[in-house]
Amino acid sequence: MRLFAMSVLCIGSVHAQIITTSSFKVVPLGVKGGSDESNLSSYMLAAAGSNEYICLDAGTIHYGIQKAISTGIFKGTVLSVLKNNIKGYLISHPHLDHVAGLIINSPDDTSKNIYALPFCIDVLKEKYFSWKSWANFADDGEKPMLNKYHYKILVPGEETTIENTNLFVTAFYLSHSNPYKSTAFLVRQSDAYMLYLGDTGADTTEHADNLQQLWQHIAPLIKEKKLKVMFIETSFNNEQPNKLLFGHLTPRLLMQEMDALAQLTGPTALAGFPIVITHEKPGGNREALIKKQLLLSNEHHLKLIFPIQGKMLSF
């Protein structure tokens, strides 16, 4: 079963219906970049028509599921969704605003895989599921091991099956306040793709080429219209000094990266392409400024989407 999005075109006196199928559905459990522990980075992703989700980061879990239940996305209880619908976790990097929900809810969770690159697995193993800070609910690391979670170490650029779903993932390194790292996840179902980036700085501020390498990989997918959406952060407004970005993007830097991507896709390929803006850091009027600056600088006519906790997105 697939979800359907319907649009109607009026041609003279004739109404023509164009039916397009969605490939993915996303439930934002948390969309912010800090300070509000009830709304931290976490997105449940499934193929359209499926209720077998993978969690893209896990900053907020319990309250996010509660919000999704209140909006009618899920039925049952928070625990039933946690145990039955979330089939595993893709963790971009081990900062607390991306893993706190996973750790805190682990006593009530069921056996699952945690997918991540080696640097992230090492921190989960040594700093969090270590008995020094929390019980070791994994099957590796400090003894005794409670054997609930299994670490699945991803290989950059190599596609991996996400077990108990019909999804596949390929991981790419990102730079998050160099030399610290983060991850981009390219998720596939059939011949459709979605891209989720964890925290990342721009190549210019990070003195790296991680994003350029990622753009080179996804540019053909955009030109072939196989990439359905990109989730990417914009943590600060343009007034934030570069020395205080700490491995994050501003609207200006994001659009510079979109310029680099457009050089690979061609000047018109990004028009209407959905970009979900993640990880805005609350504070004063910062979120309003970020939105205004993004909209004013959107020369590629991207479809900018600002997610709301507990409100489903389809692509």
Side-chain angles (χ1 to χ4, degrees), residues 172-173 203 208-218 264:
F172 300 86
Y173 278 113
D203 281 351
D209 66 349
N210 297 88
L211 286 175
Q212 183 64 26
Q213 291 186 42
L214 181 61
W215 303 153
Q216 289 173 350
H217 190 92
I218 68 166
L264 299 170

Side-chain angles (χ1 to χ4, degrees), residues 105-168:
N105 287 279
S106 54
D108 294 323
D109 208 350
T110 51
S111 178
K112 285 162 191 171
N113 291 335
I114 298 174
Y115 302 84
L117 289 172
F119 77 92
C120 185
I121 296 291
D122 288 345
V123 176
L124 290 172
K125 188 189 307 182
E126 296 168 10
K127 303 299 183 182
Y128 297 139
F129 293 129
S130 66
W131 290 103
K132 299 179 184 69
S133 57
W134 199 253
N136 183 9
F137 282 95
D139 60 0
D140 192 9
E142 188 175 328
K143 296 180 180 178
M145 297 175 289
L146 301 181
N147 298 313
K148 179 174 288 187
Y149 295 130
H150 176 63
Y151 296 124
K152 298 283 284 189
I153 299 175
L154 300 176
V155 177
E158 182 177 300
E159 188 174 80
T160 298
T161 300
I162 301 176
E163 295 177 13
N164 301 310
T165 75
N166 51 2
L167 304 173
F168 303 83

Side-chain angles (χ1 to χ4, degrees), residues 148-204:
K148 179 174 288 187
Y149 295 130
H150 176 63
Y151 296 124
K152 298 283 284 189
I153 299 175
L154 300 176
V155 177
E158 182 177 300
E159 188 174 80
T160 298
T161 300
I162 301 176
E163 295 177 13
N164 301 310
T165 75
N166 51 2
L167 304 173
F168 303 83
V169 65
T170 305
F172 300 86
Y173 278 113
L174 299 174
S175 182
H176 180 32
S177 194
N178 201 356
Y180 301 108
K181 300 180 181 68
S182 183
T183 312
F185 297 115
L186 183 64
V187 182
R188 177 178 69 84
Q189 76 95 1
S190 187
D191 61 350
Y193 295 80
M194 70 85 64
L195 180 65
Y196 173 87
L197 288 83
D199 293 359
T200 183
D203 281 351
T204 53

